[in-house]
Amino acid sequence: MSNIFLKPLLFAAVVLMHVCVHAQPIADTNRVKQLQTNSRYYLMKEGELKRDLDSALLLNEEALRISAALQYREGTAKGLLLETQIYREQGEWKKAADQLKEALALYTTYDLKHLLAEGYIESAQYHHNEGSDLDQRIFYYKKALPLFKETGDLKQVAITLQVLGDFYHIKGDLGTSLNYLGEALVYSKAAGYKDVQGIYDLMGNGYQVKGDFNQALKYGLLAVKTGETLKDSSIQMGTIYNHMGLIYYNLREYQSARDYWSKALAVSIAHKDTASYQIITGNIASGLFRIKKYKEALSLLDNMVKTYPPTSLEIRITVPYIYFNIYMDMKNYNKANIYYKEIVKFHNELDANSIAQHQLCQSIIRYLIETKQYKETYKYLEELDNTCKALGDNLARSRNQLDWFRVDSALGNYISAIQHQQLYKSLSDSIFNIEKSKQFSSLQLQFETEKKDKDIQLLTQQSKLQHNSLQKERTIRNVIIAGVILLSLFSGLIYMSYRSKKRSNMKLELQQKEINHQNELLKKLLGEKEWLLKEIHHRVKNNLQIVISLLNTQSAYLDNEDALTAIRNSQYRMHAMSLIHQKLYQSDNLACIEMSWYIRELVSYMQECFHTLSRIVFTLQIEPVEMDVARAVPLGLILNEAISNAIKYAFPGNSTGEVIISLKKLHGTTYQLNISDNGVGLPADFQLENTHSLGMSLMRGLSEQLDGTFNIKNDNGLKIEIVFNNHQLVYERKNTDRRR
């Protein structure tokens, strides 16, 4: 009996011993994995505190000891790489490099592809983002990429592609950068990896540098939306907000730019990130000087430089660049020259392919032109043109061609000046046509979508009609079965009625097709007419610009001051008319022009021509109103004469003052235009009827052409008042006052 119980007990003991012996290695390998997980936690912890790195090293050493005892190759391999990363974070670069070399040899020997790829990524950390070092970083990431693909780690493939896109963006190779980033999006989607806000941000920034602000805005907003949806609170969100601010800044939406920069600044402060704080503060200062708040911009920069002295190359370039442009806007060339020398120094020291060379060249060209050092400008004009062509940045290239035209004109190279003026126009028009093409594609897509929706609705209605028809036929069939004798008498009439209806339906269908065909023809004719009108306005504007250029060329051969003055006055009048035609061919409304836009552009042009930005303040009080060409042209010429007279005569001896321009509605279709200044006014014996001034005669004549009245009087300066009827008024919006 005892043997019966003894045998099962012995068997159970043997099994238990076998399980314990084999369970021990499994438990120990799990211990290794847990130790390495904890070590990696302390390594990745924010702050890089010494105690955290010491804890990471101790935990990993214990994992390596256990792995060696168990001959657990995977634990040893991962531990070597982890130890390399800890040494690097501690600043022990030589020890880290030696350890990495050993790890790479091990991974190659045992064909550990995923760890070998991670080792290549680690190798890239020993190089910087400049010059040949950047090429080495790209080399290692490209070696890691196929290994990640081979092991099927799609998430790591997407991250590697994103980093490569970032590297090529730094190199200035935007085409290659955008290709890598687009591929990164594809792999992220395949891996189910949702943290793609960084990819969107890099793509938006790339398109911004290329000058494609539609695409830049699209991907920038996707980055913001994705990051906020995922509740990303990392420093990356600061970068995303900063880039969005730059996009709106380049689109001249300064308030939106300021809002995003404020968000970015809050993120940098929360993370105590000095570098991003400096960059964003510099951007805010740029936005302030763009709206002519020079004192605020200088105060912000001074405080930032004092509190956080620039250390990185990017900030050391950005700070003098902003100071330079502020002082150039203020016409303080002595202070601007200090920062100009720093900019030239950076330009000479940096690699020719550095992305910073773009803004450095623009600054050098601006200084040389404004200080009339025209001959020295050509080298930088050619360099910037080549850079813009390589980047495909037509917007920056068109501005550079305009500067080239100004330099050639100043030096008397008139043939070359006209060629650069034409290239400037060609590039400007190409940008305009590209935008229109994009708008057309969008409208076409919308049209096709609506057409498909209508086709679906039509098929649904036809299906209902067929269903109703079947129901009707069933009813008729049942009635025929119930009373075949009675229905036989009327069957002929029913058949004839059916045939008649069918013929009527066929006629209606033919008529509908003809109506649709006529509608298509009318749409085509309307489109051709609109295109022709735009082309006419475009040609008129270009012809006026050519005449202005010819007059400018002619003035170089004249010594008579009166003749030169007459030519300049003619140029101003032609530009006033040219602005109207430019606005008409650039807008969808071919009949009318918005006067608030037109008056602002005209005033800005006159300020540039007479160099009065810092001496005379223009205050605009313009109600939004649209006028047709017949009224906009004489009104523009009146404004041109009045502004010219105010600038030339109201403030003698470089004195300062203010010119107020207002356009407001009195009642019905009656409007009042006032141009007043606080200058010296008219002589006491001035009589409007006895004056022989061409400008006064023009204003009086043009006022009559507007069916209006012209009055001029002294009122703490000179005040011109024109009251006229705007019979072609299209619409009005809520009154707004804007101060320039």
Side-chain angles (χ1 to χ4, degrees):
M1 194 71 177
S2 61
N3 289 336
I4 296 173
F5 289 103
L6 183 60
K7 287 181 179 179
L9 287 172
L10 287 172
F11 178 75
V14 170
V15 171
L16 184 61
M17 288 175 64
H18 179 78
V19 169
C20 289
V21 168
H22 285 80
Q24 184 65 32
I26 295 173
D28 286 340
T29 57
N30 287 336
R31 169 72 173 157
V32 170
K33 292 177 182 177
Q34 186 60 51
L35 285 167
Q36 289 177 341
T37 299
N38 294 341
S39 174
R40 193 171 289 104
Y41 165 77
Y42 283 109
L43 173 64
M44 303 303 294
K45 196 174 179 182
E46 281 192 24
E48 298 182 4
L49 298 176
K50 185 179 184 302
R51 64 172 179 270
D52 291 334
L53 295 175
D54 289 342
S55 298
L57 188 61
L58 287 171
L59 290 166
N60 188 56
E61 285 176 349
E62 178 65 13
L64 283 170
R65 187 189 65 76
I66 297 172
S67 297
L70 295 173
Q71 295 184 346
Y72 178 37
R73 190 169 64 193
E74 184 180 352
T76 301
K78 289 183 177 179
L80 285 173
L81 183 60
L82 190 54
E83 195 167 49
T84 298
Q85 294 167 339
I86 295 169
Y87 285 146
R88 175 170 55 81
E89 288 294 323
Q90 287 179 330
E92 298 186 36
W93 292 92
K94 187 178 185 309
K95 189 183 288 188
D98 292 341
Q99 189 80 309
L100 178 60
K101 186 177 180 180
E102 182 183 343
L104 289 174
L106 179 69
Y107 304 153
T108 304
T109 302
Y110 292 105
D111 196 26
L112 302 174
K113 293 178 180 177
H114 197 280
L115 283 171
L116 184 59
E118 290 185 2
Y120 287 140
I121 298 296
E122 175 64 18
S123 298
Q125 309 311 311
Y126 295 79
H127 300 276
H128 304 293
N129 286 346
E130 298 172 9
S132 59
D133 264 17
L134 180 58
D135 292 332
Q136 280 297 112
R137 299 196 82 179
I138 292 172
F139 168 76
Y140 283 119
Y141 269 86
K142 282 186 174 180
K143 289 190 73 171
L145 183 60
L147 294 172
F148 283 133
K149 287 182 178 179
E150 195 172 343
T151 57
D153 190 344
L154 299 183
K155 176 182 175 181
Q156 196 60 49
V157 171
I159 293 170
T160 306
L161 287 166
Q162 177 182 345
V163 175
L164 282 169
D166 192 11
F167 287 160
Y168 275 101
H169 179 90
I170 295 169
K171 280 177 70 71
D173 188 350
L174 298 177
T176 304
S177 171
L178 290 170
N179 287 338
Y180 274 118
L181 294 171
E183 193 177 353
L185 281 178
V186 173
Y187 275 97
S188 296
K189 185 176 181 181
Y193 181 50
K194 296 182 180 179
D195 292 335
V196 295
Q197 59 269 32
I199 302 175
Y200 286 138
D201 177 53
L202 287 170
M203 293 182 77
N205 199 26
Y207 281 116
Q208 179 183 196
V209 174
K210 286 173 69 70
D212 188 346
F213 292 108
N214 279 346
Q215 289 293 94
L217 191 60
K218 169 188 169 183
Y219 285 107
L221 291 172
L222 279 172
V224 171
K225 180 181 178 182
T226 305
E228 291 180 348
T229 301
L230 297 175
K231 296 181 179 178
D232 184 359
S233 59
S234 69
I235 192 65
Q236 178 178 236
M237 280 307 294
T239 303
I240 291 170
Y241 289 139
N242 180 43
H243 287 162
M244 276 302 300
L246 286 171
I247 292 169
Y248 278 115
Y249 171 80
N250 285 311
L251 291 172
R252 301 185 185 280
E253 295 287 341
Y254 298 121
Q255 186 55 53
S256 297
R258 187 75 179 271
D259 292 342
Y260 275 106
W261 281 332
S262 296
K263 290 183 179 181
L265 203 61
V267 174
S268 69
I269 292 170
H271 287 270
K272 298 179 181 178
D273 190 329
T274 302
S276 64
Y277 178 86
Q278 291 172 324
I279 292 170
I280 297 159
T281 303
N283 290 338
I284 294 172
S286 296
L288 287 170
F289 96 74
R290 282 296 182 193
I291 56 175
K292 304 188 185 307
K293 293 185 177 181
Y294 303 124
K295 290 183 179 179
E296 288 184 44
L298 288 171
S299 175
L300 187 65
L301 274 180
D302 291 342
N303 184 59
M304 187 268 284
V305 171
K306 182 179 178 181
T307 309
Y308 302 104
T311 54
S312 69
L313 178 64
E314 182 179 1
I315 298 301
R316 287 190 291 113
I317 293 173
T318 301
V319 168
Y321 170 78
I322 299 171
Y323 272 121
F324 168 78
N325 281 286
I326 292 173
Y327 285 122
M328 287 297 288
D329 272 21
M330 296 172 68
K331 305 299 181 186
N332 190 339
Y333 296 120
N334 289 333
K335 287 192 175 180
N337 182 55
I338 297 170
Y339 299 102
Y340 168 74
K341 290 177 181 177
E342 290 188 44
I343 288 169
V344 172
K345 184 173 179 290
F346 279 121
H347 174 266
N348 294 333
E349 291 176 352
L350 287 179
D351 185 85
N353 296 323
S354 172
I355 198 167
Q357 291 287 19
H358 190 279
Q359 66 182 27
L360 294 174
C361 262
Q362 287 178 328
S363 300
I364 293 170
I365 290 167
R366 179 182 183 185
Y367 182 81
L368 292 174
I369 290 176
E370 293 197 26
T371 56
K372 304 188 185 307
Q373 301 178 57
Y374 300 117
K375 291 183 180 179
E376 288 80 2
T377 311
Y378 283 114
K379 178 178 74 172
Y380 301 103
L381 289 168
E382 186 174 354
E383 180 182 333
L384 182 56
D385 191 60
N386 291 333
T387 303
C388 292
K389 280 194 287 188
L391 292 175
D393 189 348
N394 283 343
L395 181 61
R397 192 177 176 215
S398 69
R399 292 170 181 167
N400 190 49
Q401 289 297 322
L402 184 59
D403 286 336
W404 211 325
F405 161 75
R406 290 170 178 163
V407 171
D408 281 338
S409 298
L411 292 175
N413 301 327
Y414 300 116
I415 295 176
S416 177
I418 291 173
Q419 290 173 347
H420 288 294
Q421 168 75 358
Q422 290 172 342
L423 184 54
Y424 159 70
K425 291 304 304 169
S426 174
L427 290 168
S428 300
D429 290 346
S430 71
I431 295 167
F432 169 74
N433 290 333
I434 288 168
E435 293 303 314
K436 286 298 176 186
S437 174
K438 290 176 181 175
Q439 292 176 12
F440 176 79
S441 298
S442 176
L443 292 172
Q444 183 71 12
L445 179 62
Q446 182 181 353
F447 169 78
E448 290 175 358
T449 304
E450 291 174 355
K451 184 175 183 296
K452 288 179 181 177
D453 290 340
K454 289 179 180 177
D455 290 340
I456 292 170
Q457 291 177 359
L458 181 60
L459 288 171
T460 304
Q461 291 175 355
Q462 288 177 348
S463 176
K464 289 181 180 178
L465 287 172
Q466 288 176 355
H467 179 74
N468 293 336
S469 178
L470 287 172
Q471 290 290 347
K472 184 178 179 181
E473 287 177 4
R474 289 194 188 98
T475 303
I476 292 172
R477 184 189 62 189
N478 293 334
V479 171
I480 289 172
I481 293 172
V484 65
I485 298 175
L486 292 174
L487 290 177
S488 62
L489 297 174
F490 297 100
S491 60
L493 294 173
I494 293 171
Y495 178 75
M496 290 176 64
S497 175
Y498 168 75
R499 293 287 295 176
S500 176
K501 287 181 179 179
K502 187 174 181 180
R503 285 195 295 271
S504 298
N505 288 338
M506 289 178 66
K507 288 180 180 179
L508 289 172
E509 287 177 0
L510 290 172
Q511 289 175 356
Q512 185 62 45
K513 286 181 180 179
E514 182 64 25
I515 290 170
N516 291 340
H517 179 66
Q518 292 296 327
N519 285 339
E520 290 299 322
L521 287 176
L522 289 173
K523 287 179 181 178
K524 184 177 180 181
L525 288 172
L526 180 60
E528 291 175 352
K529 179 183 176 184
E530 289 179 349
W531 179 257
L532 181 59
L533 284 172
K534 286 187 177 182
E535 183 64 20
I536 289 170
H537 286 300
H538 195 176
R539 293 291 179 87
V540 170
K541 181 253 182 182
N542 283 348
N543 288 339
L544 287 171
Q545 289 292 328
I546 290 171
V547 172
I548 291 170
S549 296
L550 289 173
L551 287 173
N552 188 45
T553 303
Q554 180 63 46
S555 66
Y557 296 94
L558 295 176
D559 295 327
N560 188 301
E561 185 60 31
D562 291 338
L564 288 171
T565 301
I567 285 177
R568 283 195 291 268
N569 289 338
S570 298
Q571 287 177 314
Y572 301 151
R573 291 163 186 151
M574 288 180 188
H575 185 79
M577 293 185 287
S578 171
L579 275 176
I580 292 172
H581 292 284
Q582 177 183 340
K583 183 63 176 176
L584 287 171
Y585 83 76
Q586 287 181 346
S587 67
D588 294 329
N589 188 347
L590 297 173
C592 297
I593 183 169
E594 186 180 346
M595 294 308 294
S596 60
W597 172 90
Y598 173 71
I599 293 173
R600 283 197 302 273
E601 289 293 316
L602 182 60
V603 169
S604 177
Y605 171 75
M606 298 298 289
Q607 285 181 292
E608 285 187 19
C609 289
F610 286 97
H611 308 291
T612 62
L613 288 172
S614 60
R615 188 167 63 86
I616 301 174
V617 176
F618 281 81
T619 301
L620 307 184
Q621 300 169 347
I622 312 300
E623 294 185 4
V625 58
E626 291 194 347
M627 293 185 182
D628 61 14
V629 181
R631 293 186 175 276
V633 169
L635 197 66
L637 290 172
I638 290 172
L639 281 164
N640 178 75
E641 296 301 324
I643 294 169
S644 297
N645 287 342
I647 292 173
K648 289 191 287 188
Y649 305 121
F651 308 104
N654 289 328
S655 59
T656 60
E658 181 182 26
V659 177
I660 301 174
I661 301 173
S662 70
L663 177 62
K664 61 183 179 180
K665 179 179 178 181
L666 296 179
H667 55 79
T669 61
T670 301
Y671 278 76
Q672 182 183 67
L673 173 67
N674 285 331
I675 307 102
S676 60
D677 61 66
N678 60 355
V680 298
L682 292 170
D685 58 349
F686 177 81
Q687 293 294 328
L688 182 61
E689 295 78 8
N690 297 331
T691 183
H692 299 291
S693 166
L694 175 60
M696 288 294 179
S697 299
L698 272 174
M699 286 190 282
R700 290 176 64 187
L702 291 168
S703 298
E704 293 176 2
Q705 186 177 333
L706 287 169
D707 297 328
T709 60
F710 176 82
N711 289 310
I712 183 169
K713 61 181 178 180
N714 279 322
D715 185 6
N716 292 324
L718 178 64
K719 181 175 183 181
I720 297 173
E721 177 183 282
I722 298 98
V723 178
F724 63 95
N725 283 319
N726 183 26
H727 299 298
Q728 301 300 323
L729 184 62
V730 177
Y731 69 93
E732 300 172 39
R733 293 190 290 268
K734 186 177 178 180
N735 294 344
T736 59
D737 289 340
R738 299 182 180 178
R739 185 176 182 88
R740 180 164 179 157

